[in-house]
Structures are given as C-alpha cells and as structure tokens.
Amino acid sequence: MYRFAAFAFLLFVGVVFHQSHGIEVNVTDKDKLCLYAKLQLNFTVSYEGNQTIHTNSFKLPENATTDGSECHDNSSTLKLNFGAGHSWSINFIKNGESYHAGLVTFIYNLSDTSYFPGASSNKTMNVSRNASITDVELNTCYSCNSNEMISADQVNMTLSNVLIQAFVINGSMSENITVCAADQPVIPTSPSTTTAAPTPTTPPTPLPTPQTGNYSVESNASVCLLANFGLRIGFKLNQKYHEMNFNPVGANVFGSCGFDSSELMLESEEMIVTFTFFNDTKKFHLHTLNVTVNAGFGFNEVKTNLSLWETNIGSSYMCNKEQNSTITDQLSLYTFNLRVQPFGVQKGVFSTAEECFLDADLSFLVPIAVGVALSFLIILVLISYLIGRRKSRTGYQSV
C-alpha cells in the first residue's frame, strides 16, 4: 500500500464513488467523528429449503444502522445492522503507527423471508473470516475500489469501492490515502543482465519452544471454546523457508461458536492465525487453517478440508508432544502442549481429554517392553533348566 494526498485521489476516482450505490456512515464518540466508512457490500448466501438448496444474492441496504459500532484508543468496530436481525461487522486494531482489520462477522436470520425465501430453518447463523486490510498508516483513509471477496461456509461477501478511516483524529478526516495493493498500478521492470555472486548461507538458529497460550471464546456470557497450546508456523516464501513462533503475550483473541462450526482467531503483531472447527454430531476436527504473516513478509495461505485433531464430541483433544503437520507445500503447523475443545464446553473447563498417538505411545509401549523382557527371561530360565536337566541325566548314565 502507499500514501498520497487526498485531493489528487479524489480527482482520479471521485466519479466512481458518486456513481456507486453503497452506504456512507459516520460513527461518533462524544459528538466527535471517530470512524468513517463508505463502501459497497454484496452478499451471496446458500441455505437449505424444502428438499433443495437455495441461493440468494442481495446488497447491504443504504439505510443500515450503526448501532453497536464502537471507537476505543487501540481498537474500533464498524457494525452495520439491517433487516430482521442481520448485521455485518469488521473490527480494526491499532498497531504502533498503523492499523489493520481483524475479523469480519456476518450474522443473518434465516427466518427473514424477505432475504431468505423458502428457508426450511429459522436459525440465526454466524460466520466470521479475516479481512485483508493491513498496514494502513494512522491518520490516513484506506481506499480500495477493487472487489475483495470474503468466503465463509455458505456465504460470499464482496466488498468494493471502500473508503474507511478507522481511527479519526480530533474529529476530522485525514486528507491522506492508503491505497490497497489491488488498486496499485503494476510497473513493469526491465530484465537485468547482472548476475549476483552467490552469498554464503548459514544454517538458521533453532527457535526456542514457543510459549503456551491459554485462549477462550465466549458466547452468551459463557465460555464455548477453549484452547491451550504453543504455536509455531513454518512457511515458504520466494523459495525460502521461514519459521516463526506465535507470541501469546498481548495477542488479540476473537472467535465464534456455532452448532456446526466454531472459530478461533489469534492475532499478534507478526501474524494472524484462524482455526475453523467442524462438528459432524459425533466428532469434531480442525477443518480450515488460515495463516497471514505480516512482519514484512506478506504471506497468506488458506487450507480447507483438513481432518486434524479429530475427537469425540463431549471430549477435548490433547497432545503434549510436538506435532508437525504439513498443511500445504507452502505451510507447516507446529503445536506444543496442545489441548483444544471447540464444542460442548461445560462450566468453562475442559472435558476429559482424548490423547493423541504421540502421547499415548509410551503408555502402551512400556508394558509391552516389560512383557517382552519378562518373556525373554522366562525363556532363558527354561532353556537353562533344560540344559541342566540334560547334563544331570547324562551323568547318571555314565555311572
């Protein structure tokens, strides 16, 4: 992203904004503007009808309200409410001299027939995903005319013609703009004929064991998801492999709990990691992993249809040993002292744990080893006895 003066930006794209049919909102705190947003947002939602799957597309209406929007020193939330119990929200986190978006959450009520005609359920659904708005300098507006699609379960959300300032200073919008990467012009570079001399490489210093973090998600004032683990991410970027530990100190924890899926999002200064768990009524497992590494790398990788950490509903999954899971060719996940329960948490504590194979192997290998040693000893005693008996009988015969 890059910055430049707002008047030049408006001369260039002002017509686009005036012709768009989006929503423009001002969030105030103590009668001062603290968050400004102008955007277009389209939804496509698939849902169950009577013996068929329906898909409906609709736009965020211009008369959406901002009840629930908040401004704080280091975080802010834009919440847009519409229809009979629907809302779309995005939270922003300040990080030094910049800010970035965290979790996008869409709550929709299937009983609202104006948006979901023919739905067989009247449930209120909740989906969350990460946004790709990163590294926005403070006292600038984030601008992105290009479409950004955010997919979550049965929902596609498409943002476009976005102009947001999440942290307005002294009640006045900034005249500076941070433009998203998708809107930036691509400048071709001429091929270089200079061949750089190879530089000697040194083996990377092994990382210490990552610190164990204790995380929880609440719903309706009660804990619905628990997770404790140390976390390390391995990723390949530009043919070079990197590893980074997740630092739980000061990390932001977001998430949501549902009947079929639950989500845990962890955000530190260096990375954002989102775990999505699925429930098939008998077992749960980690289904989707979404990793974004900031810290100057600009790495992002998403993998769905995983089957990690599978455990019976009503239990927690535990693995104290280091687990190394290859997620994709570009991404590896390392966990330490892992214990997780995304469904069925009672009274805010973990249920009985089902151990991973790595933890359980010693518990059954030790008795096996003892049994083998005892069997071997018995065989030795028996052989010695037979040899001694045979020698005794040979001695009697010689007399």
Side-chain angles (χ1 to χ4, degrees), residues 120-333:
S120 60
S121 171
N122 59 2
K123 291 182 179 179
T124 297
M125 310 299 290
N126 185 327
V127 295
S128 299
R129 282 294 181 269
N130 295 332
S132 62
I133 301 175
T134 60
D135 297 326
V136 183
E137 293 187 42
L138 285 179
N139 201 28
T140 71
C141 294
Y142 170 82
S143 169
C144 197
N145 292 326
S146 301
N147 289 349
E148 179 193 353
M149 179 177 288
I150 304 170
S151 298
D153 297 337
Q154 305 299 315
V155 178
N156 286 330
M157 300 168 277
T158 304
L159 274 169
S160 61
N161 296 324
V162 175
L163 185 65
I164 291 178
Q165 186 172 357
F167 298 93
V168 176
I169 299 175
N170 295 326
S172 299
M173 282 186 61
S174 173
E175 295 183 352
N176 296 315
I177 300 294
T178 296
V179 180
C180 68
D183 285 358
Q184 295 179 21
V186 178
I187 303 174
T189 57
S190 57
S192 173
T193 57
T194 304
T195 303
T199 56
T201 58
T202 57
T205 304
L207 293 175
T209 300
Q211 183 176 343
T212 299
N214 301 318
Y215 312 107
S216 63
V217 175
E218 292 188 4
S219 177
N220 298 324
S222 62
V223 175
C224 58
L225 184 154
L226 288 170
N228 298 342
F229 51 75
L231 179 63
R232 176 180 298 157
I233 297 298
F235 61 98
K236 187 183 293 184
L237 187 65
N238 298 328
Q239 302 302 314
K240 186 175 181 181
Y241 182 74
H242 309 267
E243 287 188 357
M244 295 179 65
N245 286 347
F246 183 87
N247 182 8
V249 178
N252 295 303
V253 182
F254 307 97
S256 61
C257 296
F259 180 79
D260 298 320
S261 66
S262 293
E263 189 167 80
L264 172 67
M265 174 183 162
L266 305 177
E267 183 174 40
S268 69
E269 293 185 359
E270 295 82 14
M271 68 180 81
I272 302 172
V273 185
T274 303
F275 306 86
T276 303
F277 301 89
F278 273 19
N279 168 10
D280 66 3
T281 71
K282 293 183 179 180
K283 293 178 178 290
F284 72 79
H285 65 274
L286 177 64
H287 178 269
T288 303
L289 181 67
N290 188 336
V291 176
T292 299
V293 180
N294 302 318
F297 290 99
F299 172 86
N300 178 255
E301 188 83 354
V302 181
K303 176 62 176 177
T304 60
N305 296 319
L306 299 172
S307 57
L308 300 175
W309 309 347
E310 186 176 78
T311 306
N312 290 321
I313 295 294
S315 301
S316 60
Y317 176 85
M318 184 170 70
C319 199
N320 291 315
K321 297 289 184 62
E322 176 185 346
Q323 272 190 312
N324 177 8
S325 302
T326 300
I327 306 301
T328 69
D329 292 340
Q330 311 298 321
L331 178 64
S332 295
L333 177 71

